[in-house]
Structures are given as C-alpha cells and as structure tokens.
Amino acid sequence: MKTRILLVFFAACVAALMPTGVANAKAMECSVARPASAHGYWSWRLIDGRKCWYAGKTMISKSLLQWPAKASVQAKADTAPVPVTVVPVTVATEKRSDPLDAQARLLDYANSFEARWRARAITD
C-alpha cells in the first residue's frame, strides 16, 4: 500500500512538471513597443539589447521569443560595427628613483616638533 501511494505521488509530480500543451512551445514574435490598443497583460524581455514586448505572462524563456524576420535584418544593420579611427597615444614616462637608494633627510633640530615641544615646557 505504501509503495502504491509513493507511485501515485511520483506520477502526480511528473504530471505537474510536464508542459501543459503544445501551444506553449510555439515561438512568439516580439514587438518593438507595446501596442496602444493592447488588451490583456503584456510583458517584455531584453533580446538582442532591445525590449521585446509580447502578450502573456512574465519570464517566458528567451528561446520562445523571436524578432520578426524584417525586424531582425534591420536590427543587424543597426548593430553593424562602426569604423574606429585609431589615434596614437604617447605616454609620458618619468624615471623613478630606486627605493634602495632612498636616503633619510635630516631636519634641522631647532625647527622640529620635538624641539618646539621641549622649548614650550622649559622656561629659562
């Protein structure tokens, strides 16, 4: 009895996860803009860098959405690479000092913080 219940539960899970119809597998055509006289719910997805408007639920797979043939040719023409002029760049380089040649700089003691601090406390 227990295995029969598990088998029915497994079959119900498989049936719930299967596609509900062939209509969902058809590719839908995209619109560039949402129609003004649109009835029902409209959603959009980014496809080829543009908003693809379609009638229906959100988050439809991108593989089920396609641009009309005429629009896709125009989209490819719009995204054609633009020739770029190459300008030579000169970089100013300066010779940096070697950190191993660093030398400590001695300050004159009379103007140092320590000398001024001691002079403040000592009264002659």
Side-chain angles (χ1 to χ4, degrees):
M1 180 70 176
K2 187 175 183 180
T3 56
R4 184 177 285 176
I5 292 173
L6 287 175
L7 187 60
V8 170
F9 177 74
F10 178 73
C13 289
V14 169
L17 295 176
M18 290 182 69
T20 56
V22 178
N24 291 340
K26 289 183 181 178
M28 299 174 67
E29 285 197 353
C30 298
S31 296
V32 177
R34 182 176 178 227
S37 62
H39 296 292
Y41 192 81
W42 280 73
S43 305
W44 63 269
R45 299 261 338 234
L46 274 179
I47 297 186
D48 298 332
R50 300 185 304 162
K51 282 186 180 180
C52 166
W53 286 92
Y54 60 93
K57 297 179 181 180
T58 59
M59 300 307 291
I60 288 179
S61 174
K62 288 184 179 183
S63 63
L64 297 177
L65 299 171
Q66 66 182 9
W67 290 104
K70 188 176 183 180
S72 65
V73 171
Q74 183 180 5
K76 288 179 183 176
D78 292 342
T79 59
V82 178
V84 177
T85 306
V86 178
V87 178
V89 177
T90 58
V91 178
T93 58
E94 65 180 60
K95 185 179 180 213
R96 297 188 177 228
S97 62
D98 186 12
L100 297 177
D101 287 341
Q103 297 177 359
R105 197 176 93 195
L106 293 176
L107 298 175
D108 57 347
Y109 183 74
N111 197 19
S112 69
F113 175 78
E114 187 176 343
R116 286 183 286 162
W117 182 263
R118 289 179 192 246
R120 166 191 76 75
I122 301 173
T123 54
D124 289 331

